[in-house]
Amino acid sequence: SIPASSRIGKKLLASARRLENNQQQDQDADWLYGFSIKYDGCASLVQIREEGGNEDEGLLYSQNMVKFSLCPGNSDGCEGCGSGAAQYVVNMLEFIDAYTEMKLE
């Protein structure tokens, strides 16, 4: 897990989108102390290019996303979250970069 109040956690949350009610995360992340970011899953979304593509690009492209939860505590599980856990999505590369950076620290 990634501590949500860490520099890496704050950076990840700043680029993520909350799933419920399409709300953006507050820029002030001081309340995140004691919460952890827990990986929930990933998905690839097939989308249509607005520009219509060109010779090098097709009309369709995949957007790879990671879904994660913001859970109280720093344990490996998320048992304390219940059904009210805040869920977010973010670009898969951003999540992988944050996770790798956290493991290297």
Side-chain angles (χ1 to χ4, degrees), residues 73-89:
N74 292 321
S75 64
D76 289 332
C78 203
E79 296 82 24
C81 292
S83 60
Q87 294 182 324
Y88 297 82
V89 292

Side-chain angles (χ1 to χ4, degrees), residues 17-80:
R17 182 176 57 93
R18 188 168 177 176
L19 290 179
E20 189 174 312
N21 297 329
N22 292 330
Q23 297 172 352
Q24 281 295 97
Q25 179 64 37
D26 294 336
Q27 295 300 321
D28 179 18
D30 292 337
W31 64 273
L32 296 173
Y33 184 77
F35 283 79
S36 294
I37 294 170
K38 311 285 187 190
Y39 170 83
D40 283 338
C42 59
S44 292
L45 307 172
V46 177
Q47 307 223 329
I48 299 174
R49 293 187 195 282
E50 289 183 26
E51 311 85 46
N54 59 33
E55 292 178 12
D56 297 330
E57 303 173 327
L59 183 60
L60 301 176
Y61 69 98
S62 293
Q63 185 175 11
N64 300 315
M65 307 295 289
V66 167
K67 183 172 98 174
F68 63 89
S69 295
L70 195 57
C71 300
N74 292 321
S75 64
D76 289 332
C78 203
E79 296 82 24

Side-chain angles (χ1 to χ4, degrees), residues 2 7-8 96-105:
I2 300 171
R7 177 186 56 80
I8 297 167
I96 291 170
D97 286 345
Y99 183 82
T100 303
E101 189 175 343
M102 190 68 207
K103 289 297 183 184
L104 293 174
E105 285 189 351

